[in-house]
């Protein structure tokens, strides 16, 4: 169980939703459209949703026996860097969010019967408020590309000099790498090694 029963939520926060009209009324439902600024830490080291950028949430809140089920779509803009050449990458992300916010007594009963796995996976309602941020973070981070690329055929960087291989004119870029153990043979034939020529 996520330690949300110890938290105090601020209803003025943009991702905290008051579900007073749905609480304890199974079968009732309402739709919620939110345009909010993205919170911090919605990403990985290489790509993510920049803090403060627009997040669009088109959600449906349904009252069920266990609590309130939140489902819908999330749209966000991504910014990061290419995993091969380190060039800036921008993209858009559309993901489906589905999260059940359970009543505290339901979470406690799952703990009492020893269902630790179920208790670990749920978020709790805090009074008649729910916090979308943790579920949103889990959903977005899991949907991010593991290795974002600037283009699908990005060639990356030269391992010797760091030049970007996908840039025009670098298609045939290469370095002649000679094993230093061959230098003795080059000396016998009178040829200079590339290191000596330079």
């Amino acid at each position: 169980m996520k330690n949300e029963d110890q938290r105090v939520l601020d209803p003025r926060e943009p991702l905290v939703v008051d579900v007073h009209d749905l609480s304890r009324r199974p079968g009732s439902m309402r739709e919620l459209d939110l345009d909010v600024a993205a919170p911090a830490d919605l990403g990985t080291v290489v790509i993510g949703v920049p803090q403060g950028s627009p997040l669009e949430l088109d959600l449906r809140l349904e009252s069920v026996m266990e609590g309130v089920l939140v489902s819908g779509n999330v749209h966000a803009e991504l910014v990061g860097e290419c995993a091969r050449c380190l060039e800036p990458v921008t993209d858009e992300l559309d993901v489906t969010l589905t999260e059940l916010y359970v009543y505290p007594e339901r979470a406690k009963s799952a703990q009492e019967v020893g269902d630790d796995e179920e208790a670990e996976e749920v978020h709790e309602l805090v009074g008649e408020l729910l916090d979308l941020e943790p579920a949103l973070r889990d959903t977005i981070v899991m949907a991010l590309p593991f290795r974002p690329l600037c283009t699908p055929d990005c060639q990356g960087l030269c391992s010797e000099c760091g030049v970007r291989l996908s840039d025009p004119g670098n298609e045939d870029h290469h370095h002649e790498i000679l094993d230093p153990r061959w230098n003795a043979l080059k000396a016998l034939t009178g040829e200079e090694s590339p290191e000596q020529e330079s």
Side-chain angles (χ1 to χ4, degrees), residues 26-47:
S28 55
M29 181 274 292
R30 80 171 142 106
E31 294 182 350
L32 179 66
D33 291 326
L34 288 175
D35 291 318
V36 297
D41 302 323
L42 285 185
T44 63
V45 174
V46 290
I47 195 164

Side-chain angles (χ1 to χ4, degrees), residues 34-38 49-57 74-78:
L34 288 175
D35 291 318
V36 297
V49 181
Q51 183 175 0
S53 67
L55 274 181
E56 299 171 21
L57 291 79
V74 179
H75 177 82
E77 297 173 5
L78 302 179

Side-chain angles (χ1 to χ4, degrees), residues 25-190:
R25 297 185 180 106
S28 55
M29 181 274 292
R30 80 171 142 106
E31 294 182 350
L32 179 66
D33 291 326
L34 288 175
D35 291 318
V36 297
D41 302 323
L42 285 185
T44 63
V45 174
V46 290
I47 195 164
V49 181
Q51 183 175 0
S53 67
L55 274 181
E56 299 171 21
L57 291 79
D58 181 14
L59 304 176
R60 177 182 175 127
L61 283 65
E62 300 174 78
S63 179
V64 295
M65 292 297 293
E66 295 83 8
V68 176
L69 177 65
V70 178
S71 59
N73 300 311
V74 179
H75 177 82
E77 297 173 5
L78 302 179
V79 174
E81 60 183 31
C82 178
R84 292 183 186 160
C85 71
L86 308 179
E87 285 291 304
V89 171
T90 58
D91 202 354
E92 294 185 357
L93 180 71
D94 287 290
V95 290
T96 301
L97 171 70
T98 304
E99 191 67 46
L100 176 63
Y101 289 82
V102 299
Y103 298 123
E105 65 272 15
R106 293 279 182 173
K108 287 179 183 145
S109 66
Q111 277 185 319
E112 288 166 4
V113 298
D115 195 347
D116 293 334
E117 184 176 331
E118 181 182 331
E120 281 288 333
E121 294 175 356
V122 299
H123 293 277
E124 280 188 44
L125 284 164
V126 180
E128 293 182 330
L129 301 174
L130 60 83
D131 186 3
L132 292 170
E133 187 174 332
L136 191 63
R137 179 171 288 108
D138 292 345
T139 300
I140 288 177
V141 171
M142 292 297 290
L144 292 174
F146 180 66
R147 293 184 52 133
L149 299 176
C150 57
T151 60
D153 59 347
C154 176
Q155 299 298 308
L157 302 175
C158 172
S159 60
E160 293 299 314
C161 66
V163 71
R164 187 170 183 260
L165 299 175
S166 297
D167 284 346
N170 291 338
E171 295 85 3
D172 297 324
H173 178 84
H174 69 281
H175 295 270
E176 185 177 353
I177 307 298
L178 297 177
D179 190 322
R181 293 173 290 185
W182 290 103
N183 283 342
L185 286 176
K186 291 280 188 190
L188 291 175
T189 62

